[in-house]
Amino acid sequence: MSSFSRVLMATDLSHQSVNMTDGLTSLCPDKDTNVILAHVFEDDEDADPRSSQYKKILEKLKSFRNILSQEGYNNLNIITSRGDPAQEIHRLTEENDCDLIFVASHRKGFIRSAIMGTSTTYDLARATLQPLFIDKDDEDAQENLLAKVLVATDFSKKSLQALEFLRELRENVGSVLFVHVIEDEDDTNPGDAETFLKELVDEMKIFGISSEYVVREGVASKEIMRTAEEKDCQMITMAKTGAGATDLDPLGSTSKNLLMNAKCALLLIPDVDDD
């Protein structure tokens, strides 16, 4: 079963909601998972329960809830809020003690692509201490996002946090591809990298999970995205911190670039020391 028991799905009620349903059934197969459907209004008038727009949104949320109910989920709740989307999603996650956030990243709605170097998804990724699943609007993606998972690792403890949930979901995981990118001459040498990666592959075998590894050289984000496409991976998972992370911006440069540019779904895992 999944380690996620209480999740928040932030939705703007676009067609992307269907893909987020696939993400939910993949990462949270336990039908007793408590699911909170959240919609953030940015306009005061629309947020008024007496307005036609509010009533329209509420009906769509109820329809979305019915879709999840038909998938077998029993604990479903609807929450609406008014304010800055990233701040409100973060607040609702904390208030409702959620351990996973779902958002959809596309070019319209309140989860927007990068504009002047920032976006709601980016701001949320910086703020939250919880794992963040980002659906990427890939119409060709398989329904099971765990069919082939790319795990990007620099061998640090924080970069391997994804292994915990993969082990718990081992019955649903098709295969795992470990990727390590050597970015400069001071990084791990290829021989040592292969030794570490073989150990990870052997560990996955213990849990009955098929896995393989690759070592690349170049810019980490570009090589991870290129590998994901070449190997037809359905989801990339990695630590959100890393190279380029600071106290003011805890999002690492690699995870930031993947958040903005990756074509497949992305699961960002917070640093083990974040909380």
Side-chain angles (χ1 to χ4, degrees):
M1 287 292 107
S2 170
S3 58
F4 307 123
S5 60
R6 191 173 180 86
V7 304
L8 184 139
M9 299 187 75
T11 176
D12 62 357
L13 300 170
S14 65
H15 73 283
Q16 194 70 357
S17 299
V18 176
N19 282 350
M20 284 213 295
T21 302
D22 292 338
L24 179 66
T25 55
S26 296
L27 299 183
C28 304
D30 186 348
K31 302 306 181 182
D32 288 330
T33 301
N34 193 312
V35 182
I36 297 173
L37 301 178
H39 180 83
V40 179
F41 291 96
E42 294 187 77
D43 184 88
D44 285 331
E45 184 176 337
D46 291 343
D48 186 341
R50 297 168 296 182
S51 70
S52 59
Q53 181 65 12
Y54 181 90
K55 294 176 182 177
K56 180 180 178 180
I57 292 297
L58 185 59
E59 287 304 311
K60 288 185 176 181
L61 285 168
K62 289 179 179 178
S63 295
F64 188 19
R65 182 178 63 186
N66 289 338
I67 291 174
L68 297 181
S69 179
Q70 291 172 8
E71 291 286 343
Y73 291 93
N74 304 308
N75 300 318
L76 302 167
N77 297 283
I78 292 174
I79 293 179
T80 61
S81 182
R82 159 72 181 94
D84 175 79
Q87 293 178 7
E88 285 301 298
I89 295 170
H90 176 56
R91 181 182 66 82
L92 292 172
T93 300
E94 295 295 308
E95 285 187 358
N96 291 279
D97 197 26
C98 296
D99 48 22
L100 175 64
I101 308 171
F102 286 83
V103 296
S105 181
H106 49 76
R107 296 186 181 276
K108 53 187 178 180
F110 70 74
I111 304 296
R112 292 186 286 270
S113 295
I115 300 175
M116 299 298 289
T118 186
S119 72
T120 299
T121 313
Y122 170 64
D123 290 341
L124 180 60
R126 292 175 60 195
T128 185
L129 300 180
Q130 303 301 335
L132 176 64
F133 173 81
I134 304 160
D135 192 274
K136 285 289 188 170
D137 197 14
D138 185 356
E139 295 181 356
D140 296 326
Q142 296 184 27
E143 290 185 2
N144 179 18
L145 297 181
L146 298 179
K148 189 162 191 176
V149 181
L150 186 154
V151 177
T153 179
D154 60 5
F155 309 122
S156 63
K157 184 177 180 181
K158 61 188 177 184
S159 74
L160 295 173
Q161 289 303 293
L163 299 187
E164 180 179 350
F165 94 87
L166 288 176
R167 287 193 291 263
E168 293 187 4
L169 289 168
R170 55 186 176 273
E171 294 181 0
N172 301 83
V173 177
S175 63
V176 173
L177 173 65
F178 292 103
V179 177
H180 175 73
V181 180
I182 299 174
E183 293 195 281
D184 57 60
E185 59 183 14
D186 295 326
D187 202 350
T188 309
N189 69 59
D192 288 341
E194 290 208 14
T195 298
F196 292 139
L197 290 166
K198 287 178 181 177
E199 291 177 359
L200 292 175
V201 168
D202 289 340
E203 181 180 348
M204 289 294 98
K205 287 181 179 179
I206 295 175
F207 291 92
I209 300 176
S210 173
S211 61
E212 58 182 322
Y213 69 86
V214 296
V215 178
R216 303 287 197 191
E217 294 186 18
V219 178
S221 58
K222 291 183 179 180
E223 292 304 313
I224 291 169
M225 286 187 284
R226 181 168 70 88
T227 303
E229 289 191 53
E230 289 179 353
K231 298 291 187 176
D232 195 27
C233 297
Q234 302 302 310
M235 184 174 73
I236 298 171
T237 180
M238 64 176 296
K240 76 171 187 178
T241 55
T246 66
D247 290 339
L248 295 177
D249 187 356
L251 196 63
S253 57
T254 300
S255 54
K256 184 188 305 181
N257 288 333
L258 288 172
L259 185 152
M260 298 300 182
N261 301 306
K263 294 182 179 179
C264 66
L266 178 66
L267 179 65
L268 292 180
I269 307 294
D271 191 340
V272 290
D273 297 325
D274 272 359
D275 57 357

